[in-house]
Amino acid sequence: MTARARSTPAALPGDPPGGRRAVLVWSVGVSVYFVAVIFRTSLGVAGLDAADRFDVGASALSTFSILQLLVYAGMQIPVGLLVDRLGTKKVLTIGVLLFTAGQLSFAFSPSYGMALASRALLGCGDAMTFISVLRLGARWFPARRGPMVAQLAGLVGMAGNLVSTLVLARLLHGVGWTAAFAGSSLAGVLVLVLMLLFLKDHPEGHEPEPFPHRGGAYVRRQIVASWREPGTRLGLWVHFTTQFPAMVFLLLWGLPFLVEAQGLSRATAGELLTLVVLSNMVIGLVYGQIVARHHAARLPLALGTVLSTAAVWAATLAYPADHAPMWLLIVLCTVLGACGPASMIGFDFARPANPPERQGTASGITNMGGFVASMTTLFAIGALLDATGDDYGVAFSAVFVLQALGLGQILRLRRQAARRERERLVASRVETVHVPA
């Protein structure tokens, strides 16, 4: 057996076949996630407009994204349980209805309070999409395709971010707040129709085995069993440490930082935000290919991304002039593009650590990580900006605190998770050898 073969996840008994039908069904599911990300990141291009519309300061403005992410993070374990119990199609249907209603309500919100409620509703629906798409990929594609399928899902999500940055931003300044947000909500109606017509939870002949899904005992068992796996906890901390710098930048504070702290025009700042998205899409394909071929590369990629991000942020914030040079801002935005693909690696630790009936729950636990970190950092930056009179250098230093916390946990869990994964791989090979031909 070659070194390359040993580093690639083996095919498992009963793996789904993949193929064109799998691509079609998964494409419908991932289109829902695409629209959810457009809605989620729409505030990132409308932050300054929202501050004027609702007459609020930095802390109140950050509350929009904090509340949305609070709802999102708080929903992850319940959504994981729901996906394991109800299946992908039902959970995605509920999600589409909620995030479309939230976007439409945000368009017509006359007050700050109603706008907050709308973003909370949007966050609730958004929370149901990504875990469902991961589960859909696991049900339709062979296990060896898992890393690439997850990275492609993340790439499609970043394409939604790109649409938000390029299209929705222009609509906002062309047709106004209400028309832009109300018009974008029609995309939710479109994906709902596609999903109801074409989406299936799994291919024929690959129905999941019956599993008791009732009562509090089931909920406790799912959560406790998933959390006990070191791979699940390592996945959570990898997601926590890698995702939030880019999420915070794209979701809310990137545009104000580039315009107010760096003195750029909105157009130039928008181009740099677009660079983050494009970098994410390119790096996502590279990371997906590397992890699919060499599972041992997961941790070096994640750690390398964290350290690179910290180094470039430090260089930008500590630059000895009023504004960082354009070349450094370009490097910053390019490196931030690696954060999303690196966060997907967290699921590549949690997935092999849990059996199929716990995939939704384990993914929910993992997915909480980055959004808890993003929510915390969004709040910290807003509070520090208000406390320091808009000193972005001090405010963005909160990034380093969260990165240090996450790195410590990753280093603490890495050996335990690797040992458990080796034990499970050996056990699966023994079972495969004893399966009758």
Side-chain angles (χ1 to χ4, degrees), residues 76-92 127-136 139 201 213 218 222 357 359-361:
Q76 289 309 292
I77 292 178
V79 168
L81 291 164
L82 280 175
V83 171
D84 286 336
R85 179 175 179 176
L86 301 178
T88 300
K89 187 169 184 175
K90 291 179 181 178
V91 175
L92 277 180
M128 298 184 175
T129 58
F130 188 66
I131 294 175
S132 298
V133 169
L134 287 180
R135 166 70 174 251
L136 193 68
R139 290 296 187 191
D201 282 356
H213 291 338
Y218 160 74
Q222 287 287 91
E357 64 269 16
Q359 288 295 316
T361 306

Side-chain angles (χ1 to χ4, degrees), residues 209-214 218 221-222:
E209 294 182 7
F211 194 77
H213 291 338
R214 296 184 182 277
Y218 160 74
R221 186 166 58 249
Q222 287 287 91

Side-chain angles (χ1 to χ4, degrees), residues 72-74 76-77 236 239-240 363-373:
Y72 188 105
Q76 289 309 292
I77 292 178
L236 179 147
H239 200 269
F240 177 101
S363 295
I365 292 172
T366 300
N367 208 30
M368 283 181 62
F371 290 93
V372 169

Side-chain angles (χ1 to χ4, degrees), residues 10-77:
L12 300 176
D15 256 359
R20 290 186 192 173
R21 180 79 188 282
V23 172
L24 173 63
V25 173
W26 182 80
S27 297
V28 172
V30 84
S31 70
V32 177
Y33 177 57
F34 172 76
V35 174
V37 172
I38 294 176
F39 291 0
R40 178 201 304 169
T41 58
S42 57
L43 188 61
V45 297
L48 297 177
D49 299 88
D52 292 337
R53 180 180 177 87
F54 301 112
D55 192 23
V56 294
S59 294
L61 183 60
S62 67
T63 302
F64 276 121
S65 296
I66 292 169
L67 178 62
Q68 184 179 331
L69 292 183
L70 178 63
V71 172
Y72 188 105
M75 287 286 292
Q76 289 309 292
I77 292 178

Side-chain angles (χ1 to χ4, degrees), residues 114-173:
M114 185 173 175
L116 277 178
S118 300
R119 297 305 289 188
L121 186 63
L122 192 156
C124 189
D126 181 20
M128 298 184 175
T129 58
F130 188 66
I131 294 175
S132 298
V133 169
L134 287 180
R135 166 70 174 251
L136 193 68
R139 290 296 187 191
W140 280 90
F141 292 97
R144 67 182 183 277
R145 302 294 185 194
M148 179 53 70
V149 170
Q151 288 289 354
L152 286 174
L155 187 148
V156 171
M158 291 310 296
N161 201 325
L162 189 63
V163 169
S164 181
T165 303
L166 295 178
V167 179
L168 190 59
R170 293 183 181 180
L171 280 175
L172 186 65
H173 297 290

